[in-house]
Amino acid sequence: MTDAKRKAHYARGPLFAVAPMIDWTDRRCRFFHRLLAPDALLYTEMIVADAVLHGDRERLLGFDSEEHPLALQLGGSDPAKLAEAARIAEGFGYDEINLNVGCPSDRVQSGAFGACLMLQPALVGECLSAMRQAVSIPVTVKCRIGVDDQDPEAALDALADAAVEAGVSAIWVHARKAWLQGLSPKENRDIPPLDYSRVVRLKARLPDMFIGLNGGLTSVRMAAEHLKGLDGVMMGRGAYGNPSDLAEVGPLIYDRPPAEVDYPALLQRMADYAGAHMARGGRLSQVTRHMVGLFQGQPGARRWRQILSERAVRPDATPDLLLEAFSYVSLTGTPTETAA
Ligand SMILES: Cc1cc2nc3c(=O)[nH]c(=O)nc-3n(C[C@H](O)[C@H](O)[C@H](O)COP(=O)(O)O)c2cc1C
């Protein structure tokens, strides 16, 4: 194993990532996001280590080569199982394995992983260390700043120290606590207050470690502004809801020259992709559901949304629906809030 491989995308400077999101960042979504943001690091949905060990691996782990660089996020708290799942995933060609220490859902709590692991930094260290020994690609962690009544200063430092000790390549921090009792997972992404300064303090304390910020970054421009003093920014809902904004990643994060998105070519590519997906037994709506927000703010966006939402689910729907829906969109206008 070489150090270069270990560091890979983390050695290249500032990094923009699209966050792992269960039910959202599946392979269809990632293929689509990749066309808009060639440089972004993409994450899978969280996949539980047990599922990798015992489930249908091709269905759970399969992806298209276009999705690189691609990180698999694992959920679990058993070092041996996580190590084995990481090893299997490396065989599939992933570029990174990430451990979820941020997800507060009940299902996850009952399995003793996700955000409640903030309470067990030593166990997180063991998990990460076992994963790191099993693979030669980067192993990383995504965590919160604490849970419940934990002091975020001590809680995040303890977690980060365990991760550093285990040899991770990056620590991504969703800059708010998770409250394990009384809030739904959705509320836990909005209600506990954001504290970006806590993440900046972590970076000051660990200047040699890659520290990435996540949470409440609603546009690529806002993400770029928060990159100062940090190593990476990660956007979740903002990227999913308004995917055209991902075209700003090149110019605003990676200093690439601004380029207009060639939407007709993009949609043709997605139609071809959808055709191939359907030929394998998939449904059109599994592809188009991730594209509904594409023309947000442009004249015709409402019609686009309506056609995709209502007609892509019909059994006789074909990929041409994408091109038909696009014919109602006018790209000449400046995005407006009220555009139809
Ligand atoms: C639908 C949905 C599913 C999510 N699933 C995961 C997940 O699988 N793993 C994870 O670490 N975070 C998950 N998250 C949290 C996001 O990765 C991210 O931390 C959170 O949404 C805050 O970032 P944002 O404000 O940019 O959306 C999910 C968020 C959403 C909206």
Side-chain angles (χ1 to χ4, degrees), residues 18-25 44-47 73 98-104 142-144 173-176 185-186 188-190 194 196 214-218 234-240:
V18 179
M21 290 179 281
I22 287 179
D23 195 39
W24 288 9
T25 52
T44 67
E45 310 165 83
M46 180 188 76
I47 301 185
Q73 189 187 58
N98 175 270
L99 180 65
N100 181 330
V101 183
C103 187
K142 175 168 177 277
C143 64
R144 298 272 184 147
V173 188
H174 181 178
R176 54 161 60 89
K186 184 171 184 304
N188 251 314
R189 295 194 280 265
D190 285 320
L194 285 162
Y196 293 157
N214 166 243
L217 302 172
T218 52
M234 175 186 272
M235 249 174 95
R237 291 163 291 183
Y240 189 87

Side-chain angles (χ1 to χ4, degrees), residues 101-129:
V101 183
C103 187
S105 81
D106 289 345
R107 191 167 60 85
V108 169
Q109 268 184 69
S110 63
F113 48 77
C116 61
L117 285 176
M118 291 298 299
L119 298 162
Q120 291 178 274
L123 177 58
V124 172
E126 278 173 47
C127 292
L128 292 169
S129 179

Side-chain angles (χ1 to χ4, degrees), residues 86-100:
R87 196 189 57 72
I88 292 166
E90 183 177 34
F92 267 74
Y94 282 91
D95 302 296
E96 167 187 336
I97 313 288
N98 175 270
L99 180 65
N100 181 330

Side-chain angles (χ1 to χ4, degrees), residues 131-149:
M131 292 160 71
R132 189 171 181 270
Q133 280 163 39
V135 299
S136 60
I137 51 177
V139 169
T140 66
V141 65
K142 175 168 177 277
C143 64
R144 298 272 184 147
I145 60 173
V147 294
D148 297 336
D149 56 4

Side-chain angles (χ1 to χ4, degrees), residues 32-33 36-37 220 238-249 259 261 263 266 290-298 304 331 335:
F32 169 52
H33 283 175
L36 288 156
V220 175
Y240 189 87
N242 184 18
S244 337
D245 192 33
L246 285 172
E248 297 292 324
V249 169
V261 178
Y263 281 106
L266 175 97
H290 303 300
M291 302 174 67
V292 170
L294 185 58
F295 296 111
Q296 204 183 94
Q298 298 284 349
W304 161 266
L331 291 171

